[in-house]
Amino acid sequence: MPSIRVSSVRQQFNDGNHNAFTDMCRFGDRLYLTFRSCPDGHMLFTTSRIVVLSSTDGSDWKQVHTFGVPNRDVRDPHFLVFDDKLFVYTGAWWVTPGNAEDRDVNDHLGFCTWSDDGKNWHGPRMLDGTHGHYIWRAAARDGTAYLNGRRIRNFEVLARRDEPPEWMESWLLHSADGFAWTPLSQIQPAHGDETALQFEEEGDLLAVARAGGRPAQLCRSRYPYTDWACTDLDRHIGGPLLARWGDQVLVGGRKHTEDGPVTALYELVGTELQEIAVLPSGGDNSYPGFVELGQDRALLSYYSSHEGSGTGLAPSNIYLATLEKH
């Protein structure tokens, strides 16, 4: 297989806000980049908004859309190209007035905005069937959309409205239209967390699942995606990315080091992760996105506060790394 290297990294977006949680895609003849922007920081704030940028070449980017949801914190936006539409999905915490630390996954809702042309946008619209689910990445195949969501077992109301990892389940939801969702299968019965989805050529659904502070898991399911087999990887991955680039599979996310968290990129070979690079990063960081520019060039987005606050407070910036095969 060709080797992959990071040929350049540039700071793409810095407006003084806490900018974080990225994703990228191609829709039509344009590239799209999305992230959350909030003047108040990483935690739960009704001042948070989702930003969408667009570019024809990956160098010159312009804002084409932004949105928020009243009384809610929006975060973790992810793209899905489905049914000739470009969807942006976001999780949304209910924010209790005067107490942003009072949170409950059972109050969570998914929302989306969508566009037929990447210029004119509709929504935000609540996603039916997502109440109590913290939604994450999506994928589509053969006229059906799939979405990851984690939830508290049996939607229990727990003391301190906390999220004990052993009570958190990760689920695969499915939809015929991208708006109304129903549970299909359980991916993780405990320690359920952020899960990236990727269809393989033969139709299997591959997933890389964060598992709280434990090692991440590599999960696989065959059609009709009702049963999953998961194995532990050799490291924790926060905010995981899973993407296919030609015959190679990329995994990205937060890596723990003795000097603190950084954003790392790996190639998945079988069930092993081979490190490609550690990106310039530190403090609050990770949550990469990926888009292919061609057979030998691609872009990786991520966020980091190492040139900002160094913490979960503003500012935190969006970065684009150029990847090359040789």
Side-chain angles (χ1 to χ4, degrees), residues 282-322:
D284 189 13
N285 70 91
S286 180
Y287 291 68
F290 172 85
V291 68
E292 184 176 335
L293 298 178
Q295 292 184 347
D296 301 320
R297 293 183 71 245
L299 289 177
L300 184 83
S301 61
Y302 66 100
Y303 82 95
S304 178
S305 67
H306 71 289
E307 293 183 306
S309 67
T311 70
L313 300 176
S316 177
N317 309 320
I318 304 298
Y319 296 85
L320 285 180
T322 300

Side-chain angles (χ1 to χ4, degrees), residues 55-120:
S55 173
T56 57
D57 58 4
S59 297
D60 182 27
W61 294 85
K62 295 182 179 179
Q63 182 174 307
V64 294
H65 187 48
T66 183
F67 69 95
V69 175
N71 303 314
R72 288 186 176 270
D73 172 90
V74 290
R75 62 181 52 227
D76 295 333
H78 291 111
F79 287 121
L80 179 67
V81 177
F82 177 65
D83 195 24
D84 298 322
K85 301 179 184 69
L86 177 58
F87 287 90
V88 180
Y89 293 121
T90 178
W93 289 96
W94 172 260
V95 179
T96 301
N99 184 7
E101 294 184 0
D102 180 25
R103 64 181 192 176
D104 188 346
V105 175
N106 289 326
D107 292 331
H108 227 276
L109 274 171
F111 284 80
C112 76
T113 61
W114 70 99
S115 175
D116 298 314
D117 58 9
K119 300 176 183 177
N120 301 293

Side-chain angles (χ1 to χ4, degrees), residues 129-130 133 135 145-149 171-175 181-184:
T130 64
H133 293 78
I135 68 165
Y146 300 88
L147 179 68
N148 169 244
W171 281 77
L172 184 69
L173 313 180
H174 64 150
S175 172
W181 297 85
T182 56
L184 179 61

Side-chain angles (χ1 to χ4, degrees), residues 226-249:
T226 53
D227 296 295
W228 289 85
C230 296
T231 58
D232 287 350
L233 294 169
D234 65 352
R235 69 198 72 193
H236 168 87
I237 301 174
L241 164 77
L242 178 61
R244 179 170 292 278
W245 187 11
D247 293 329
Q248 294 168 281
V249 177

Side-chain angles (χ1 to χ4, degrees), residues 40-271:
D40 296 302
H42 181 114
M43 297 310 292
L44 307 188
F45 300 100
T46 57
T47 52
S48 58
R49 297 187 66 80
I50 303 301
V51 177
V52 181
L53 308 182
S54 180
S55 173
T56 57
D57 58 4
S59 297
D60 182 27
W61 294 85
K62 295 182 179 179
Q63 182 174 307
V64 294
H65 187 48
T66 183
F67 69 95
V69 175
N71 303 314
R72 288 186 176 270
D73 172 90
V74 290
R75 62 181 52 227
D76 295 333
H78 291 111
F79 287 121
L80 179 67
V81 177
F82 177 65
D83 195 24
D84 298 322
K85 301 179 184 69
L86 177 58
F87 287 90
V88 180
Y89 293 121
T90 178
W93 289 96
W94 172 260
V95 179
T96 301
N99 184 7
E101 294 184 0
D102 180 25
R103 64 181 192 176
D104 188 346
V105 175
N106 289 326
D107 292 331
H108 227 276
L109 274 171
F111 284 80
C112 76
T113 61
W114 70 99
S115 175
D116 298 314
D117 58 9
K119 300 176 183 177
N120 301 293
W121 291 83
H122 311 279
R125 172 175 167 174
M126 184 185 72
L127 299 175
D128 294 338
T130 64
H131 190 224
H133 293 78
Y134 191 142
I135 68 165
W136 225 63
R137 290 194 187 268
R141 185 180 178 90
D142 295 335
T144 300
Y146 300 88
L147 179 68
N148 169 244
R150 65 186 188 269
R151 71 191 196 195
I152 296 176
R153 185 186 312 153
N154 298 324
F155 301 105
E156 294 280 356
V157 178
L158 304 175
R160 303 188 317 279
R161 305 179 75 175
D162 206 353
E163 304 170 49
E166 62 273 14
W167 282 75
M168 294 303 297
E169 302 173 336
S170 177
W171 281 77
L172 184 69
L173 313 180
H174 64 150
S175 172
D177 62 5
F179 298 106
W181 297 85
T182 56
L184 179 61
S185 59
Q186 187 184 83
I187 304 173
Q188 294 169 296
H191 300 274
D193 213 324
E194 304 157 343
T195 301
L197 307 171
Q198 178 70 42
F199 280 102
E200 299 188 297
E201 290 183 0
E202 63 273 20
D204 287 4
L205 184 51
L206 189 67
V208 170
R210 183 176 179 172
R214 297 151 59 101
Q217 292 189 308
L218 183 67
C219 303
R220 186 184 301 273
S221 182
R222 291 183 174 178
Y223 183 82
Y225 315 121
T226 53
D227 296 295
W228 289 85
C230 296
T231 58
D232 287 350
L233 294 169
D234 65 352
R235 69 198 72 193
H236 168 87
I237 301 174
L241 164 77
L242 178 61
R244 179 170 292 278
W245 187 11
D247 293 329
Q248 294 168 281
V249 177
L250 303 181
V251 173
R254 184 180 295 144
K255 172 185 177 180
H256 292 310
T257 74
E258 292 181 355
D259 297 323
V262 293
T263 301
L265 179 65
Y266 309 93
E267 182 178 354
L268 179 65
V269 180
T271 59

